[in-house]
Amino acid sequence: MLGRDNTGRSFGTDKLGFGYLEIYQPLFELYRDKKDAVLAEVGILGGSSLITWRDFLPDCKIIGIDKYDFGGNDRGEHVDSSFFANDDNSEFYLIDQSSRDELNSFAQSLSHGIDIFIDDGSHFQHDMIITFEYIFPKINPGGLYIIEDISTKENLVAGHSWWGKDDEPTIEDCVEETIIRLKDQGILTNKYLDQDKISSLTDSVDHVLFYKAQIPPLTPAGTSSLAIVQKV
């Protein structure tokens, strides 16, 4: 199981403490027996989440994406290269998700769609929005696009972004407000999006699950929210 006191605890991913794994379990269960399922995650330093996905989805193709290579970053964190070296059904891509060119190149290079995509990368507003723009079209029908650790509107307004300074001049364009509009009104608007793509992106959304940070089981500190967008 992915839930509490099981797989997540065994492999040390912090997604357990945030309550994410309990939310994911019934959604990911649908892919356990699919031999050709694909899961991709951006932001995989350490690799504990990848090991968690492999344990729960043993036949799934796992794609790891990160801004840093196996040499690690300036905080002393390292991509666990052993996962990719020892797992024949996995791939690693070195991508800066703040770069439209790199995101586009990655999307265009894929010869297959993605069933589950998890954005656990930079957590900055611009990066999360443009990653959605380029990757959501690659999600297979019925697939899941997940955005983790979304700074709440309240924290952004107060200048207390969990992930440090985030130069966001208008709160209407923050990820949380964008997701709430999409969920409640079926409207997708954001200044960071290519305006010519908004219609096709909106038409591809089946429904949105949104978990506000202040609502259990997410972090009681109330710092970040979770969004899950399902493809038509």
Side-chain angles (χ1 to χ4, degrees), residues 53-80:
W53 310 142
R54 171 57 72 224
D55 183 81
F56 191 71
L57 302 169
D59 297 317
C60 183
K61 183 180 184 66
I62 304 276
I63 297 175
I65 304 164
D66 208 281
K67 179 179 179 179
Y68 300 97
D69 62 16
F70 301 121
N73 65 16
D74 55 8
R75 297 194 302 270
E77 299 166 320
H78 292 263
V79 173
D80 184 358

Side-chain angles (χ1 to χ4, degrees), residues 8-174:
R9 186 174 300 281
S10 298
F11 299 124
T13 174
D14 63 1
K15 299 180 194 298
L16 177 67
F18 284 112
Y20 296 164
L21 297 187
E22 293 179 44
I23 295 169
Y24 296 164
Q25 184 166 327
L27 301 173
F28 288 17
E29 189 76 43
L30 302 175
Y31 295 96
R32 292 198 78 174
D33 297 326
K34 290 187 65 174
K35 301 296 183 184
D36 58 348
V38 177
L39 181 150
E41 181 171 15
V42 58
I44 51 97
L45 285 169
S48 59
S49 62
L50 299 183
I51 300 171
T52 301
W53 310 142
R54 171 57 72 224
D55 183 81
F56 191 71
L57 302 169
D59 297 317
C60 183
K61 183 180 184 66
I62 304 276
I63 297 175
I65 304 164
D66 208 281
K67 179 179 179 179
Y68 300 97
D69 62 16
F70 301 121
N73 65 16
D74 55 8
R75 297 194 302 270
E77 299 166 320
H78 292 263
V79 173
D80 184 358
S81 60
S82 65
F83 176 84
F84 299 96
N86 299 325
D87 191 303
D88 294 334
N89 199 21
S90 66
E91 297 176 356
F92 174 75
Y93 290 84
L94 186 64
I95 296 171
D96 181 349
Q97 73 172 129
S98 70
S99 168
R100 285 182 171 272
D101 287 343
E102 292 186 29
L103 287 169
N104 183 56
S105 294
F106 167 70
Q108 295 302 318
S109 72
L110 293 175
S111 59
H112 50 73
I114 298 171
D115 295 290
I116 301 169
F117 183 86
I118 302 167
D119 184 348
D120 189 19
S122 73
H123 305 301
F124 286 111
Q125 308 298 306
H126 166 272
D127 299 359
M128 289 186 281
I129 290 294
I130 68 168
T131 301
F132 179 81
E133 175 185 319
Y134 284 98
I135 304 301
F136 193 66
K138 301 299 293 187
I139 301 297
N140 286 327
L144 306 171
Y145 189 101
I146 299 169
I147 309 175
E148 295 183 347
D149 304 336
I150 303 170
S151 290
T152 64
K153 177 181 67 173
E154 292 82 1
N155 277 287
L156 290 172
V157 168
H160 300 309
S161 174
W162 192 20
W163 302 103
K165 182 175 174 55
D166 199 332
D167 295 319
E168 177 52 64
T170 57
I171 203 63
E172 291 80 8
D173 290 303
C174 75

